[in-house]
Structures are given as C-alpha cells and as structure tokens.
C-alpha cells in the first residue's frame, strides 16, 4: 500500500497542472470557484508592471500571488489584482445567514516604503446581480487587512476603533461615481490570518450606517491595491461563501 500511495501522489499533483501566470492589463483566469484578474486599471498614473499567478484552485479555496513594480503617482492606485468568487453573490443582506471567509496571506518580498493595501472589495446594489463598479453599484465595502505607506481610503474617517468580528477598525466613508464607499481599515496593523463571518460587517452596516437590508451582495473580491513600490503578495489560502437563511 505504501508503494501505491507514493506513486499516486505525483499523479494527483499533476491533476491541477503547473501554476498559470497572467501578465496583460486586464487578463483574467478561471480559478476553480473563483476568477483571478490582473485589473491594472490605473497603469497610466505611473510606470511599471505586474503579473499574477494561480497556484492552486478548487471550488472552495484558491491560492495565488501577484508581483508588481510600480513607480510614480504615489497617491494613485495602479491596480487591484484580485480573485472574485463565482458563487458568493446574489443574496439580499436581510437573507444572509452567514458569510464565512478565511484569508491567509503574506508578503514574500517588499521594497522599502511600499504603498499598498490588502483588501476585500464587496459590492452591494438594488438588483440581485451587477458587475462591480458599474451603474448597478450602490455601495463599495472595503475591508483593509493592511494599509502600508500612509495611504488612505476614499472619503474621511467617521469612526475609530470600532469592534467588529473580533478585530478593531477605523471606518472611512465617501462617494465615488454613483456609489458610496465604506472602508474598514484595521486599526491594529496587518491581519495575515483572517477568519471571520462577513455577516458581522453586513449587520453593522445595516444597524449603524443606514444601509438598506434589501441591498443585494453583488460581488465579493479580495486582492491588493498597489500604489507604488515593488512586492510579491502571496495568498496561501482564501475562501468565502454566502449562506442564505
Ligand atoms: C464544483 O462546482 C460545480 C459548479 O457549481 C459543481 O457542479 C461541482 O459538483 C462542484 N464540485 C465539487 C467537488 O464540489
Ligand atoms: C523596483 O524594481 C525596479 C525594477 O527592478 C527597480 O528599478 C526599482 O529601483 C525598484 N524600486 C524599489 C523601490 O525598490
């Protein structure tokens, strides 16, 4: 039996194949229950490049990394390399029973003075479906697990040290295009191992920030907004699901 197991292991590993890398400005890659996208939407505000690699993927969990070198335009976002869940969407906030998520990440390398966040980007709207950052969007909810180099979210800070889901956050609020942005920024530095129920944030937004419980979760993305610097950000495991009542 031992011999069979030893022989079987490489076959299982080969089932996923080699890691796949994307380099184009708006390249995307199917990634099990997710989609990995480069999303280098702000390239014109600086100079540099980025590539993103899918390391493993299943219906529930994805592992990936992104490597970037960005200079100039220190206050402008160059990119949001991210994974989008194919399944965690289309549920009205009042019908969410739970939204468990787990994200383990680290910087494999990082230049001095890097300006970047590591963040969820969650989109709400009045319709059950809608693409992120479009006319269908009512709210953009960011959760910053890291914000390095003095960068700030959209708008202005409206709370300090707010406790949600076992962590403390400074909440920022402001408009962008046709939607409102609410950004929870970790007030205790980087959170490299994040295991929470996102519904704790959704309930807070309804009870304390006037978000209508009839809003639908339209998309949940996780990734990194890079401003300037060179880094490789590695997600060793990420999962999210949206459970209806
Ligand atoms: C993965 O998801 C697809 C589409 O929802 C489903 O058909 C398939 O059974 C799932 N596979 C596993 C192993 O859960
Ligand atoms: C980033 O990488 C580029 C290209 O390798 C290099 O020229 C630049 O000096 C690096 N910047 C920092 C801040 O390390």
């Amino acid at each position: 039996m031992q011999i069979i197991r030893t022989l079987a292991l490489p076959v299982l590993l080969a089932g996923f194949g080699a890691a796949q890398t994307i380099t184009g400005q708006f390249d995307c890659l199917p990634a099990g229950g997710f989609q990995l996208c480069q999303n280098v939407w702000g390239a014109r505000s600086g100079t540099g490049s980025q590539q993103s690699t899918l390391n493993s993927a299943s219906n529930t969990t994805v592992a990936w990394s992104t490597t970037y070198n960005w200079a100039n335009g220190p206050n402008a976002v160059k990119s949001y390399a991210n994974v989008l869940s194919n399944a965690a969407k289309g549920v009205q906030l009042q019908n969410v029973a739970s939204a468990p998520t787990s994200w383990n990440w680290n910087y494999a390398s990082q230049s001095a003075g890097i300006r970047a966040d590591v963040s969820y980007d969650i989109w709400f709207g009045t319709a059950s479906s809608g693409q992120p950052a479009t006319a269908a969007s009512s709210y953009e909810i960011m959760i910053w697990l890291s914000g390095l180099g003095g960068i700030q979210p959209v708008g202005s800070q409206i709370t300090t040290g707010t406790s949600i889901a076992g962590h403390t956050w400074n909440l920022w609020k402001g408009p962008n295009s046709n939607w409102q942005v609410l950004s929870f920024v970790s007030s205790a530095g980087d959170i490299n191992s994040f295991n929470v129920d996102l519904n704790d944030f959704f309930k807070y937004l309804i009870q304390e920030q006037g978000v209508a419980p009839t809003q639908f979760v339209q998309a949940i993305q996780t990734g990194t907004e890079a401003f300037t610097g060179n880094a490789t950000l590695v997600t060793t495991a990420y999962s999210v699901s949206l459970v209806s009542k």
Side-chain angles (χ1 to χ4, degrees):
M1 288 307 289
Q2 186 57 42
I3 290 168
I4 289 169
R5 280 190 190 144
T6 304
L7 290 173
L9 185 58
V11 175
L12 290 175
L13 290 174
F16 176 74
Q20 295 166 275
T21 294
I22 48 178
T23 58
Q25 186 174 10
F26 294 108
D27 282 0
C28 292
L29 199 58
F34 306 84
Q35 179 173 223
L36 171 65
C37 291
Q38 280 263 88
N39 197 15
V40 188
W41 62 270
R44 278 176 303 174
S45 62
T47 55
S49 65
Q50 174 184 294
Q51 63 177 47
S52 302
T53 299
L54 179 63
N55 292 317
S56 71
S58 71
N59 271 11
T60 55
T61 306
V62 60
W64 64 286
S65 67
T66 189
T67 297
Y68 57 79
N69 298 303
W70 292 116
N72 306 327
N75 294 318
V77 175
K78 308 300 182 295
S79 60
Y80 183 61
N82 74 89
V83 289
L84 166 71
S85 169
N86 297 331
K89 61 183 181 182
V91 181
Q92 223 164 17
L93 294 179
Q94 62 193 2
N95 290 330
V96 175
S98 66
T101 186
S102 174
W103 189 3
N104 294 312
W105 62 271
N106 62 80
Y107 280 107
S109 67
Q110 176 184 357
S111 64
I114 184 181
R115 290 166 64 80
D117 65 56
V118 176
S119 56
Y120 286 75
D121 208 10
I122 302 172
W123 297 86
F124 297 166
T126 56
S128 61
S129 66
Q131 293 299 308
T134 64
S137 311
S138 304
Y139 291 95
E140 176 181 11
I141 310 299
M142 297 199 80
I143 303 172
W144 287 28
L145 304 186
S146 174
L148 299 180
I151 57 171
Q152 294 182 343
V154 168
S156 53
Q157 190 178 336
I158 60 168
T159 79
T160 299
T162 301
S163 292
I164 303 169
H167 299 274
T168 54
W169 311 91
N170 298 334
L171 180 59
W172 291 64
K173 184 179 184 183
N176 189 3
S177 292
N178 51 284
W179 61 87
Q180 283 289 324
V181 186
L182 286 148
S183 303
F184 297 90
V185 179
S186 169
S187 64
D190 288 6
I191 307 173
N192 290 95
S193 183
F194 189 58
N195 293 284
V196 304
D197 184 349
L198 293 175
N199 203 27
D200 290 350
F201 292 88
F202 301 164
K203 286 189 267 189
Y204 171 86
L205 290 166
I206 293 168
Q207 287 158 13
E208 305 294 335
Q209 298 299 334
V211 173
T214 49
Q215 287 276 313
F216 285 86
V217 178
Q218 294 181 335
I220 301 179
Q221 300 171 298
T222 49
T224 180
E225 285 185 312
F227 291 61
T228 54
N230 299 347
T232 294
L233 181 88
V234 179
T235 289
T236 53
Y238 167 67
S239 64
V240 66
S241 58
L242 202 48
V243 182
S244 300
K245 283 179 181 166

